[in-house]
Amino acid sequence: MFYLDGGWSSWGVWQRCSVPCGVGLKFRHRTCTSPSPSGWGKNCEGDYTDSAVCVNTPCE
């Protein structure tokens, strides 16, 4: 039987920091489309969202 396991796409660009000043979070995403799973293929394993701390100018 035919099957194709899914593979992760490249990470997208980082989104803006969640706060205009001080310390916040930023996120980026990826999809299970490189290739998409088909037939009896497995879905991608792991997280589709990545986060990082971002630091903007100090709040006044």
Side-chain angles (χ1 to χ4, degrees), residues 17-40:
C17 193
S18 61
V19 295
C21 63
V23 179
L25 286 175
K26 60 183 179 178
F27 297 93
R28 63 182 180 170
H29 305 279
R30 62 183 178 173
T31 58
C32 187
T33 56
S34 193
S36 295
S38 61
W40 294 99

Side-chain angles (χ1 to χ4, degrees), residues 3-25:
Y3 70 93
L4 183 63
D5 290 340
W8 287 115
S9 66
S10 298
W11 286 105
V13 297
W14 287 105
Q15 295 177 349
R16 287 188 195 166
C17 193
S18 61
V19 295
C21 63
V23 179
L25 286 175

